[in-house]
Amino acid sequence: MTPLRPSTTKVLLIDDDESTYENLGLLLASTPTWPTTLDWAPSYEAGLEALRSGRHHVALVDVDLREPRTGIDLTRQASSEGCPTPIVVFTGMVSVAVETEALAAGATDYLVKAGVSIASLHRALRQAVDRNRATVALRESRVRLAAILDSVEDAIVGADVEGRIREWSPGAERVYGCAAAQALDTYLFSEQVTVWFEYGTTQTLGLATGDEHVNYPQSQDADFSATLSNLTAGNTYYYRAVAKNNAGTGFGSIVSFMTPGISPP
């Protein structure tokens, strides 16, 4: 079940500056239509412990904690540990590079202290809470889907709009005799195609590479390649691609290339 937005949002501030905690408390208290509580963690370790607890709906993390480790390091560690609290980086720095690094570390948003207003603060906090709710709901739905797939005897196969297989139940493994690891990311509607290249020093060609048997999605373009060896230096060669399936054989256009000449000693 998707969690409801909390009636009172519990905010965590991780910042070494107590005045930021006091000012932020006054700012949040100025809009009683959105009830919040504010807790303060003044250091990296205290902040990490609070994030691990999962007691808060959202956290504001300063970049400069006046320690060897930064707020971005803290965000990265919390994200890697799977801490459930979404993080908004809250800093005095105006820097695209820092913002990019913070978001890559796992932050959901980036706010500059000097330019923050009650509207922008509330928007960032609400969006972080809502995104986290959506992430939790998606995770729970995947768990439920996995439980359903595991319990159903019949074969259940799920594919995306391109026909690529994304779900392959244990029942499908039993019915089709194919493990999920082999089936996932292949195409539901595919066909085996034999492909090769014809080539030569004239447009009549006359030589061919070895056959390659591949499974291609139906009605979709695909690439293949081959290596030509024992070519003569300084010659023009012609080649074309050939593909064969149950419907017949198709030939590509004849194109050419020139091999490099031999440089004099």
Side-chain angles (χ1 to χ4, degrees):
M1 181 177 179
T2 304
L4 299 175
R5 178 183 287 166
S7 57
T8 299
T9 301
K10 299 176 182 178
V11 182
L12 169 67
L13 173 67
I14 304 174
D15 194 311
D16 65 293
D17 187 355
E18 187 174 3
S19 65
T20 300
Y21 168 60
E22 294 170 349
N23 292 332
L24 184 62
L26 292 174
L27 192 62
L28 290 173
S30 66
T31 53
T33 55
W34 188 46
T36 58
T37 61
L38 180 64
D39 292 330
W40 177 42
S43 66
Y44 187 106
E45 289 300 333
L48 182 58
E49 182 180 355
L51 289 170
R52 285 170 173 165
S53 73
R55 294 192 305 266
H56 301 89
H57 298 115
V58 61
L60 291 162
V61 178
D62 187 21
V63 171
D64 185 8
L65 297 176
R66 302 186 188 278
E67 298 183 26
R69 294 173 296 180
T70 68
I72 294 178
D73 295 328
L74 175 58
T75 300
R76 186 177 295 109
Q77 181 173 352
S79 179
S80 67
E81 291 185 9
C83 293
T85 307
I87 292 173
V88 175
V89 169
F90 190 54
T91 180
M93 300 181 187
V94 181
S95 169
V96 174
V98 174
E99 178 180 0
T100 301
E101 185 181 5
L103 296 176
T108 62
D109 209 340
Y110 180 92
L111 285 178
V112 178
K113 294 178 181 179
V116 73
S117 65
I118 189 61
S120 62
L121 178 62
H122 278 189
R123 181 171 59 252
L125 296 180
R126 285 180 182 274
Q127 287 178 348
V129 172
D130 288 345
R131 287 172 187 165
N132 191 57
R133 289 172 58 244
T135 300
V136 170
L138 178 59
R139 186 184 305 120
E140 291 176 350
S141 69
R142 287 176 174 170
V143 170
R144 289 194 299 270
L145 177 59
I148 292 171
L149 293 178
D150 288 343
S151 63
V152 174
E153 293 283 336
D154 296 333
I156 298 178
V157 177
D160 59 21
V161 293
E162 295 180 348
R164 191 184 296 271
I165 295 174
R166 298 302 187 188
E167 301 290 347
W168 190 264
S169 71
E173 292 185 337
R174 292 189 295 270
V175 171
Y176 298 112
C178 179
Q182 296 174 295
L184 292 176
D185 288 328
T186 64
Y187 287 89
L188 189 61
F189 304 106
S190 64
E191 59 181 339
Q192 188 172 82
V193 181
T194 303
V195 294
W196 69 93
F197 286 99
E198 295 179 342
Y199 67 100
T201 54
T202 68
Q203 293 196 35
T204 58
L205 306 177
L207 301 173
T209 62
D211 294 350
E212 182 179 352
H213 303 284
V214 293
N215 288 316
Y216 284 145
Q218 290 181 355
S219 303
Q220 293 191 34
D221 295 333
D223 297 328
F224 71 97
S225 62
T227 300
L228 304 181
S229 57
N230 299 322
L231 302 182
T232 303
N235 269 9
T236 298
Y237 284 86
Y238 301 86
Y239 71 98
R240 67 181 175 188
V242 187
K244 180 180 180 181
N245 62 9
N246 293 333
T249 303
F251 298 89
S253 301
I254 295 177
V255 292
S256 65
F257 66 91
M258 177 174 285
T259 55
I262 300 176
S263 301

